[in-house]
Amino acid sequence: GDELAPLDEDAVREVVRTRRGKVEAFAVSAYFSVRNPAHELRARQIIEDLTGEDGQPLPVTCGHELTTRLNAVRRATTTALNARLIPLLRDLILTVRRTLDALDIGAPLMIVRGDGSLVRSEWATRRPIETILSGPAASAIGAWHLAGRRDGWVVDIGGTTTDIAFLRDGRPWLNEQGAQALQYSTTEGYHPLREMIARHNARFSVTVSADNIMITSGSQQALDFIGRLFVNRGDYIVVESPTYLGALQAWNAYGAQYVSVPSDEHGMIVD
């Protein structure tokens, strides 16, 4: 969370001016904003100042507001999705409010979150990402209420999906490891294995939780992840000649340049 370099405010302003009038919301996500959100907060202020010159400023989602966990790539993706959903949910809520006003209904408008809880519509408009899967969550709660049973299976059949929930003692049974099929599981990898790696690292005084460990599926995913984290456009990478084509394909997307070093059966020839 320590600042190594100040925020490039001129670059932020240039990005905003370039996209102003072309987008309906902005997303801001920094690598370690969960430790120090100062850069995200300053970027949001700049965006709101520039987009608000002609009226209401555009909504801005900051990554540190959505989660306190590390994993910068997943947090950035979630932040972008949240910003993209804001205009959609906002328009839906405005339509519902106009309908309620027309019917002279003054009740507060509440929205179901993905965990089945209720939040005010103003809060949901800022964090629409948390309403994903609210339909199946509401179905489980509604079925529990209507059936009057604390244990049972709830099957929600919609137009495109069928969602199944298991209720035990009135509460949905959660699978913290996520969906699994054969050797495939969640993006981060098999949870028990990540826990075992965390315990192994603890033996060497490396404190890390399973939530901060990602098991990649093959080298291509790992190489792409390295590119996302460490490669900036124009950076030079020293590679063997010949080198692994998959690595070049992964890093080309991030604007890498290469310095080729001859190699033999022992590795690079650096003399």
Side-chain angles (χ1 to χ4, degrees):
D2 295 334
E3 184 182 64
L4 298 180
L7 176 67
D8 190 342
E9 297 189 4
D10 290 337
V12 175
R13 293 187 178 92
E14 179 62 26
V15 169
V16 176
R17 293 190 181 102
T18 300
R19 289 165 175 77
R20 187 168 51 184
K22 301 178 181 178
V23 300
E24 297 181 88
F26 282 87
V28 180
S29 185
Y31 276 128
F32 292 101
S33 60
V34 293
R35 298 289 186 264
N36 183 356
H39 282 189
E40 285 190 359
L41 293 173
R42 178 54 184 156
R44 177 167 64 185
Q45 185 61 56
I46 293 173
I47 295 170
E48 291 178 343
D49 290 344
L50 291 177
T51 60
E53 291 177 347
D54 301 323
Q56 184 71 19
L58 291 179
V60 182
T61 298
C62 291
H64 75 276
E65 297 174 330
L66 300 179
T67 179
T68 58
R69 294 184 177 183
L70 294 174
N71 194 333
V73 175
R74 167 174 265 193
R75 187 170 64 256
T77 302
T78 303
T79 306
L81 289 173
N82 188 82
R84 181 64 185 89
L85 290 171
I86 286 177
L88 301 177
L89 188 61
R90 179 191 59 204
D91 293 346
L92 173 62
I93 289 176
L94 288 175
T95 301
V96 174
R97 282 192 179 280
R98 284 196 292 266
T99 302
L100 293 175
D101 291 340
L103 296 173
D104 198 25
I105 297 176
L109 178 58
M110 308 298 290
I111 306 296
V112 182
R113 291 177 59 189
D115 61 359
S117 61
L118 294 176
V119 295
R120 297 188 67 88
S121 58
E122 296 83 1
W123 188 94
T125 302
R126 296 191 299 271
R127 301 175 70 162
I129 195 74
E130 299 206 33
T131 67
I132 290 178
L133 294 180
S134 57
S139 295
I141 295 174
W144 168 78
H145 175 73
L146 293 174
R149 295 177 177 270
R150 299 186 64 81
D151 298 322
W153 292 90
V154 179
V155 182
D156 180 352
I157 302 176
T160 57
T161 62
T162 297
D163 299 287
I164 302 174
F166 175 54
L167 297 179
R168 173 177 291 178
D169 196 26
R171 294 180 177 273
W173 192 256
L174 302 179
N175 182 4
E176 296 182 358
Q177 298 176 13
Q180 298 179 29
L182 302 178
Q183 74 269 35
Y184 302 101
S185 60
T186 55
T187 303
E188 294 84 0
Y190 188 49
H191 192 268
L193 178 56
R194 289 189 283 130
E195 288 183 329
M196 184 181 71
I197 295 173
R199 290 193 298 270
H200 178 77
N201 286 335
R203 295 167 53 191
F204 301 95
S205 299
V206 178
T207 303
V208 62
S209 70
D211 290 334
N212 301 130
I213 296 175
M214 174 181 289
I215 300 174
T216 60
S217 300
S219 62
Q220 202 68 23
Q221 183 184 3
L223 290 167
D224 179 74
F225 193 59
I226 290 172
R228 289 173 182 266
L229 290 178
F230 300 114
V231 179
N232 297 310
R233 185 166 298 278
D235 284 355
Y236 284 89
I237 301 177
V238 178
V239 297
E240 293 180 334
S241 178
T243 193
Y244 179 42
L245 182 60
L248 302 182
Q249 292 173 336
W251 297 333
N252 284 343
Y254 304 103
Q257 301 185 59
Y258 306 99
V259 176
S260 180
V261 178
S263 61
D264 56 20
E265 65 273 15
H266 301 294
M268 288 184 176
I269 303 174
V270 296
D271 296 336

